[in-house]
């Protein structure tokens, strides 16, 4: 089956720093999403981004489908950005998501 | 947006018990999923359903079963709980997650 790899596995930042998280996938996909899991366990959808670039405040994401990777940019990080960031891919219009193992981000004040 | 409610936030059960995890949605979505999340392994799909009384195995269905008698409710059943089923269980409707159930089997 399709493999989804995320890097780095862990990241520690000082507040105000910028970061880039990467997601590689092994086959063509119909959909790619980025999720944030807060320290209490709730997962929130950040971006639905099968291709191209999207921005939402301090976060932006770019997916290059032909090269099978996606990047999540976090600028001017805040302590509330802490948590785990997952990317997930979908083949076909099934809602069936295949997740990477996540990047654990800790933003220190 | 759909609201996804998981009945228990934390649960402690004994080995061998039959455990029911409930997931309820407030809209009419057809697609419902159960994942478990373990450190270092990400989220893995246990079972999913695309309609009432319909169920499909995911990647790790062993030791689990599911029930979907009504469209809004999708239940995950641990027939005989074991310690290796200690995990965070997440219900997903469409692309919206419930708040999760952290199950500990002792």
């Amino acid at each position: 089956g399709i493999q989804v790899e995320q890097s780095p596995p862990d990241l520690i930042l000082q507040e105000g720093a910028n970061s880039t998280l990467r997601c590689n996938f092994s086959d063509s996909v119909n959909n790619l999403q980025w999720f944030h899991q807060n320290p209490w366990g709730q997962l929130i959808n950040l971006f639905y981004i099968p291709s191209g670039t999207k921005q939402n405040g301090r976060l932006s994401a770019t997916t290059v489908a032909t090269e099978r990777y996606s990047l999540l940019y976090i600028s001017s990080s805040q302590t509330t950005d802490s948590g785990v960031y997952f990317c997930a891919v979908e083949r076909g219009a099934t809602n069936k998501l295949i997740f990477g193992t996540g990047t654990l981000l800790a933003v220190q004040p | 947006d759909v609201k996804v409610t998981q009945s228990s936030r934390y649960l402690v059960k004994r080995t061998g018990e039959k455990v029911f995890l409930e997931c309820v949605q407030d809209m009419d979505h057809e697609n419902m999923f159960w994942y478990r999340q373990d450190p270092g392994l990400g989220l893995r799909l246990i079972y999913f359903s695309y309609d009432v009384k319909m169920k499909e195995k995911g990647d790790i269905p062993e030791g689990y079963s599911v029930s979907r008698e009504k469209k809004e409710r999708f239940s995950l059943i641990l027939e005989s709980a074991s310690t290796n089923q200690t995990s965070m269980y997440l219900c997903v409707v469409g692309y919206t997650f419930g708040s999760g159930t952290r199950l500990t089997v002792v």
Side-chain angles (χ1 to χ4, degrees):
Chain A
I2 190 167
Q3 303 297 313
V4 182
E5 296 179 351
Q6 291 185 242
S7 61
D10 304 281
L11 187 59
I12 300 174
L13 297 176
Q14 289 299 121
E15 204 166 21
N18 303 327
S19 64
T20 301
L21 282 55
R22 187 177 179 101
C23 173
N24 293 330
F25 44 98
S26 61
D27 206 343
S28 60
V29 298
N30 292 84
N31 173 23
L32 185 141
Q33 298 195 50
W34 283 97
F35 293 88
H36 174 227
Q37 185 174 39
N38 66 25
W40 296 272
Q42 181 68 55
L43 278 105
I44 302 296
N45 187 298
L46 297 174
F47 292 103
Y48 173 97
I49 187 165
S51 63
T53 297
K54 289 186 178 180
Q55 180 151 7
N56 184 0
R58 296 181 295 103
L59 302 181
S60 64
T62 295
T63 297
V64 184
T66 53
E67 296 187 24
R68 298 179 186 164
Y69 73 89
S70 182
L71 302 174
L72 178 70
Y73 304 96
I74 304 173
S75 64
S76 304
S77 59
Q78 300 177 358
T79 55
T80 51
D81 295 330
S82 297
V84 185
Y85 289 81
F86 289 101
C87 84
V89 301
E90 178 183 358
R91 303 194 71 185
T94 62
N95 288 159
K96 185 178 168 189
L97 295 171
I98 302 162
F99 286 82
T101 52
T103 293
L104 176 60
L105 173 66
V107 181
Q108 298 178 338
Chain B
D1 288 350
V2 63
K3 180 179 178 182
V4 181
T5 301
Q6 292 185 232
S7 54
S8 302
R9 192 80 174 93
Y10 298 93
L11 212 50
V12 180
K13 296 291 181 181
R14 295 194 179 278
T15 301
E17 274 193 80
K18 190 169 187 176
V19 181
F20 293 84
L21 303 183
E22 304 289 343
C23 175
V24 178
Q25 60 158 314
D26 66 349
M27 295 184 79
D28 214 27
H29 276 270
E30 291 166 339
N31 302 345
M32 299 184 75
F33 304 83
W34 276 105
Y35 289 83
R36 65 176 282 177
Q37 181 181 7
D38 301 286
L41 297 176
L43 281 76
R44 295 178 291 166
L45 181 62
I46 306 171
Y47 265 98
F48 59 102
S49 170
Y50 290 147
D51 206 345
V52 176
K53 296 194 185 294
M54 177 271 176
K55 59 186 178 184
E56 292 279 351
K57 292 180 180 179
D59 300 318
I60 51 163
E62 296 78 19
Y64 304 94
S65 62
V66 290
S67 172
R68 194 168 182 194
E69 296 296 319
K70 295 184 178 181
K71 197 165 191 177
E72 68 269 19
R73 185 181 297 268
F74 190 35
S75 303
L76 180 69
I77 304 160
L78 286 66
E79 297 290 343
S80 177
S82 63
T83 54
N84 63 14
Q85 292 178 310
T86 291
S87 187
M88 168 74 102
Y89 289 88
L90 293 155
C91 174
V92 187
V93 178
Y95 301 125
T96 301
F97 280 79
S99 54
T101 296
R102 191 169 293 280
L103 173 68
T104 302
V105 182
V106 298

